[in-house]
Amino acid sequence: SQTIHQWPATLVQPVGSPLSLECTVEGTSNPNLYWYRQAAGRGLQLLFYSVGIGQISSEVPQNLSASRPQDRQFILSSKKLLLSDSGFYLCAWSVWGRALSYEQYFGPGTRLTVT
Amino acid sequence: AQSVTQLGSHVSVSEGALVLLRCNYSSSVPPYLFWYVQYPNQGLQLLLKYTSAATLVKGINGFEAEFKKSETSFHLTKPSAHMSDAAEYFCAVSSSGNSGYSTLTFGKGTMLLVSP
């Protein structure tokens, strides 16, 4: 069966510090991968998605970036964190392909607090 | 562009009462619709999905949803609420992202509160 991992589970970082969040998927090959941010009362905001190694699409311009160095690894980064980057970050995967019927499966999330 | 509206940021019910969480969508193409549940400090779990096979969709934990094209709605129901149903629920519609691959557009969520 497929499993998705995220780490760290929680993170407290000062403003201006760098960020690296990691997501890995097990039990599937060539998945579509997604990064979302969830802020209180605002639902889920899609940040990035990837359909293959090195292929990243950004949905929202901001000081975050994403990379996919391996088939089942997805990394969210920032060079300098802002207070507004605080939130709950969720990684998700779906079966590869363009079909709109594919559901997404979510990881346990990372709670980021920028102080 | 696709969008989802969830009516009511909070819904309160008594244990054993009917649960009704409302979702309306906007889509320029035949929609694929999803309901997810999120417990505190956890990821989202898929409850059910509509992919045009049947308008009444049954999911996990006794939940079901009915697709009504004329009303552009996909409301989530459960006949009898349990305390364990207390969580936040998200409705989502599938759409094409910048690269033509599927992405999900989520509503803002509805927090379900269940009282004894």
Side-chain angles (χ1 to χ4, degrees):
Chain A
S1 63
Q2 299 84 12
T3 309
I4 179 168
H5 303 279
Q6 289 186 245
W7 63 88
T10 60
L11 191 60
V12 180
Q13 292 284 92
V15 168
S17 63
L19 173 73
S20 181
L21 303 181
E22 190 166 343
C23 169
T24 59
V25 180
E26 297 177 354
T28 187
S29 296
N30 197 25
N32 288 350
L33 294 172
Y34 308 83
W35 277 113
Y36 290 88
R37 178 168 60 203
Q38 188 176 23
R42 298 183 62 182
L44 281 82
Q45 180 185 36
L46 178 63
L47 302 175
F48 301 95
Y49 68 97
S50 172
V51 300
I53 295 175
Q55 301 179 62
I56 309 294
S57 294
S58 173
E59 291 291 303
V60 183
Q62 55 204 319
N63 70 320
L64 298 172
S65 61
S67 61
R68 185 170 177 174
Q70 301 180 41
D71 180 43
R72 290 169 289 179
Q73 183 185 32
F74 204 23
I75 296 172
L76 183 69
S77 304
S78 174
K79 293 182 179 179
K80 290 186 177 182
L81 283 169
L82 307 173
L83 285 174
S84 58
D85 291 324
S86 294
F88 193 50
Y89 287 81
L90 290 159
C91 181
W93 74 273
S94 69
V95 172
W96 182 89
R98 295 176 181 267
L100 299 182
S101 60
Y102 294 151
E103 62 266 36
Q104 294 179 18
Y105 301 94
F106 285 80
T110 295
R111 175 76 58 189
L112 172 66
T113 303
V114 182
T115 61
Chain B
Q2 284 75 8
S3 66
V4 173
T5 301
Q6 291 184 242
L7 296 177
S9 59
H10 292 78
V11 170
S12 296
V13 300
S14 300
E15 192 172 21
L18 171 71
V19 175
L20 171 61
L21 304 181
R22 299 178 186 272
C23 172
N24 289 89
Y25 68 90
S26 171
S27 176
S28 57
V29 298
Y32 295 98
L33 296 158
F34 306 82
W35 274 101
Y36 285 84
V37 61
Q38 185 181 32
Y39 298 97
N41 292 312
Q42 295 186 25
L44 276 70
Q45 179 183 7
L46 180 69
L47 276 178
L48 49 82
K49 69 174 185 178
Y50 167 75
T51 56
S52 76
T55 57
L56 184 61
V57 182
K58 295 186 182 298
I60 62 172
N61 301 339
F63 284 93
E64 62 183 36
E66 185 172 9
F67 172 72
K68 292 186 176 181
K69 183 178 179 180
S70 61
E71 299 177 7
T72 60
S73 69
F74 190 56
H75 301 331
L76 182 71
T77 61
K78 182 174 180 178
S80 176
H82 294 167
M83 295 295 292
S84 60
D85 293 327
E88 191 161 21
Y89 293 79
F90 292 91
C91 183
V93 62
S94 184
S95 56
S96 294
N98 293 336
S99 299
Y101 288 84
S102 66
T103 63
L104 290 179
T105 299
F106 286 86
K108 293 189 175 182
T110 297
M111 183 69 71
L112 177 64
L113 307 171
V114 182
S115 57

